[in-house]
């Protein structure tokens, strides 16, 4: 790439602007060519390809650790830096409140915990299952899946099984007992 020869005849200021424009164009073209060549050279090598992509994006690993000075102490640990920023920005409102109102005190906002209901850590709340729910679950079984009983038989007996199963499940949930038999899964490998 080269600049046209007619630019030589123009006054020096315009000529300098046009040369700057041409130089920018040449640099941009060469950067694109270099990036394309790098991508083509690293085809199939994902690790180096990502290095090239991050280089193009301008995203490189930091060689210098972030530093922060607080109360005359230099801090380099990121978590402490983040906590110090958080403390600073969280305290801005109260400092402004003190400075603006001085003697006129504004009541602080109540804690969000006051709006929450009391916790009950010793319980979970479940509603009883209905025969309709059990029937719907049985109807969603896939025919032909491995089971101790054929799925077609279970589906055909759904009207009789649903009330019994709902009653048993609700009883077990109310008592708080989960039978050991239901904790075991039967896995059958199917060879192709």
């Amino acid at each position: 790439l080269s600049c046209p020869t007619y630019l030589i005849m123009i006054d020096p200021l315009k000529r300098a602007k046009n040369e700057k424009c041409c130089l920018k164009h040449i640099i941009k073209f060469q950067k694109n060519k270099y990036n394309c060549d790098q991508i083509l050279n690293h085809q199939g090598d994902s690790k180096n390809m990502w290095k090239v992509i991050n280089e193009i994006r301008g995203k490189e690993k930091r060689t210098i650790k972030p530093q922060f000075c607080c109360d005359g102490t230099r801090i380099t640990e990121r978590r402490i830096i983040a906590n110090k920023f958080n403390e600073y920005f969280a305290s801005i409102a109260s400092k402004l409140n003190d400075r603006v109102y001085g003697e006129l005190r504004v009541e602080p906002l109540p804690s969000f915990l006051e709006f929450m209901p009391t916790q009950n850590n010793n319980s979970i709340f479940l509603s009883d299952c209905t025969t309709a729910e059990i029937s719907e679950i049985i109807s969603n079984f896939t025919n032909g899946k491995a089971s101790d009983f054929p799925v077609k038989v279970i589906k055909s007996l759904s009207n009789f099984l649903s009330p019994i199963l709902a009653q048993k499940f609700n009883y077990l949930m109310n008592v708080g007992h989960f039978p050991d038999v239901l904790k075991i899964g039967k896995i059958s490998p199917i060879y192709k």
Side-chain angles (χ1 to χ4, degrees):
L1 290 172
S2 62
C3 292
T5 54
Y6 68 85
L7 290 178
I8 299 170
M9 305 297 186
I10 304 174
D11 72 86
L13 184 61
K14 284 186 180 179
R15 181 174 168 211
K17 286 182 182 179
N18 287 332
E19 285 178 353
K20 182 180 175 184
C21 181
C22 285
L23 186 61
K24 280 185 179 179
H25 180 70
I26 291 169
I27 291 171
K28 184 177 179 182
F29 176 79
Q30 290 300 326
K31 277 185 181 178
N32 286 340
K33 185 176 183 284
Y34 172 78
N35 291 336
C36 289
D37 290 343
Q38 289 288 68
I39 288 172
L40 290 173
N41 289 340
H42 296 296
Q43 242 176 347
D45 183 5
S46 62
K47 184 177 180 181
N48 285 325
M49 180 67 81
W50 277 110
K51 283 182 183 177
V52 170
I53 291 170
N54 286 330
E55 184 181 311
I56 292 170
R57 292 177 56 211
K59 187 176 180 183
E60 296 179 13
K61 288 187 178 179
R62 291 183 184 173
T63 55
I64 301 172
K65 278 189 163 185
Q67 296 183 6
F68 183 71
C69 190
C70 182
D71 300 328
T73 308
R74 186 171 301 278
I75 302 169
T76 56
E77 190 176 334
R78 291 176 187 226
R79 176 164 281 144
I80 296 173
I81 292 171
N83 286 337
K84 291 293 182 183
F85 270 108
N86 192 19
E87 287 173 15
Y88 171 75
F89 286 111
S91 67
I92 288 176
S94 61
K95 287 180 181 177
L96 281 175
N97 187 19
D98 291 341
R99 196 177 310 155
V100 171
Y101 294 109
E103 295 173 8
L104 176 66
R105 301 300 302 158
V106 176
E107 291 296 320
L109 292 174
S111 170
F112 71 93
L113 294 173
E114 293 179 24
F115 298 105
M116 295 180 69
T118 56
Q119 282 187 329
N120 188 351
N121 294 328
N122 300 323
S123 180
I124 61 171
F125 301 98
L126 301 170
S127 58
D128 288 348
C129 60
T130 63
T131 56
E133 288 175 322
I134 302 288
S135 295
E136 184 181 343
I137 291 169
I138 291 174
S139 68
N140 289 331
F141 287 169
T142 307
N143 289 334
K145 291 285 183 181
S147 175
D148 292 338
F149 302 102
V151 176
K152 284 187 177 183
V153 174
I154 295 173
K155 282 185 174 183
S156 65
L157 296 174
S158 173
N159 293 335
F160 300 107
L161 292 175
S162 295
I164 297 168
L165 290 174
Q167 182 183 9
K168 292 291 182 190
F169 291 150
N170 291 333
Y171 171 75
L172 292 173
M173 292 305 262
N174 288 332
V175 172
H177 176 72
F178 195 80
D180 292 335
V181 176
L182 294 177
K183 295 178 186 177
I184 299 170
K186 184 177 180 182
I187 301 170
S188 305
I190 300 173
Y191 301 102
K192 294 184 178 186

